[in-house]
Amino acid sequence: MSFVVADSPSVGQVPVIETERLRLRAHRADDYATCMAIWSDPAVVRYIGGGRPFTGEEVWKRLLQYVGLWSLLGYGCWAVEEKRSGRYIGDIGYADFKRDIQPSLQGMLEFGWVLAPQAHGNGYASEAVAAISAWSQKHFPELRVVCIISPQNLPSIRVAEKAGFRLWQETVYHDSPALVFTR
């Protein structure tokens, strides 16, 4: 049996990105309790996954997925940390979930963000989206960036449009209407 080790030093390494008010960093195992609080909050998941709060098992798998994306693809999700308090307040980043969706997102960076309710309304989402957008334009300029947003999620639609995303397609994903934005 033989193994191949990837040459790319960036694979698996999560860069720390700082903005004026936020630190975007790798997820850690000790983020689990806060991640659980975020993803089990009905206000957070209202427009995600059918609006059902995530279980502890699903949240743990999500944390593992965040780490795995970086290891396999060289990009992934960051934990969003408020600099002033040091609190972990959400998740943001890119994925390739091989979704069974039309239009196909094959070969594109799927962008997503989630913030805890207490972080809503502070401009944190727009600040983090701008920072991550700059990172992807530097490291993956050849890839199209897309995000899937529920038509009812007006705050996320505003964040996406502020970041330069424009509606590309209307579709259905898991029996729910969805908008696909691109930049």
Side-chain angles (χ1 to χ4, degrees), residues 3-157:
F3 295 93
V4 177
V5 178
D7 278 338
S8 174
S10 65
V11 173
Q13 297 176 0
V14 181
V16 174
I17 299 174
E18 296 201 8
T19 69
E20 182 181 331
R21 302 178 299 160
L22 303 173
R23 178 175 299 106
L24 310 174
R25 58 156 177 85
H27 287 87
R28 305 181 301 242
D30 66 356
D31 288 331
Y32 174 75
T34 304
C35 194
M36 179 66 197
I38 292 169
W39 284 97
S40 64
D41 189 310
V44 170
V45 299
R46 180 169 47 177
Y47 305 117
I48 301 170
R52 181 185 58 78
F54 285 59
T55 66
E57 179 181 345
E58 291 167 327
V59 170
W60 181 246
K61 287 178 182 177
R62 177 172 291 281
L63 278 173
L64 296 174
Q65 177 181 345
Y66 290 156
V67 174
L69 284 165
W70 287 101
S71 295
L72 290 175
L73 303 175
Y75 59 82
C77 294
W78 285 264
V80 180
E81 191 175 86
E82 189 180 52
K83 277 185 178 179
R84 180 178 45 80
S85 67
R87 287 183 312 145
Y88 162 47
I89 59 169
D91 307 312
I92 187 169
Y94 299 104
D96 178 356
F97 292 129
K98 307 265 185 242
R99 293 185 192 273
D100 184 14
I101 189 171
Q102 291 300 321
S104 172
L105 306 181
Q106 187 73 21
M108 301 179 201
L109 291 175
E110 183 183 330
F111 201 171
W113 56 88
V114 168
L115 292 177
Q118 66 270 21
H120 292 177
N122 295 309
Y124 287 157
S126 292
E127 188 173 326
V129 166
I132 300 308
S133 293
W135 179 87
S136 71
Q137 288 169 354
K138 179 179 178 185
H139 296 281
F140 296 97
E142 73 284 0
L143 294 181
R144 184 177 202 174
V145 180
V146 296
C147 55
I148 303 169
I149 304 175
S150 166
Q152 292 83 32
N153 191 345
L154 299 180
S156 282
I157 291 171

Side-chain angles (χ1 to χ4, degrees), residues 143-174:
L143 294 181
R144 184 177 202 174
V145 180
V146 296
C147 55
I148 303 169
I149 304 175
S150 166
Q152 292 83 32
N153 191 345
L154 299 180
S156 282
I157 291 171
R158 283 192 297 273
V159 168
E161 290 176 338
K162 183 177 179 181
F165 284 90
R166 297 294 170 250
L167 181 62
W168 176 39
Q169 299 276 328
E170 295 181 26
T171 190
V172 174
Y173 183 65
H174 288 184

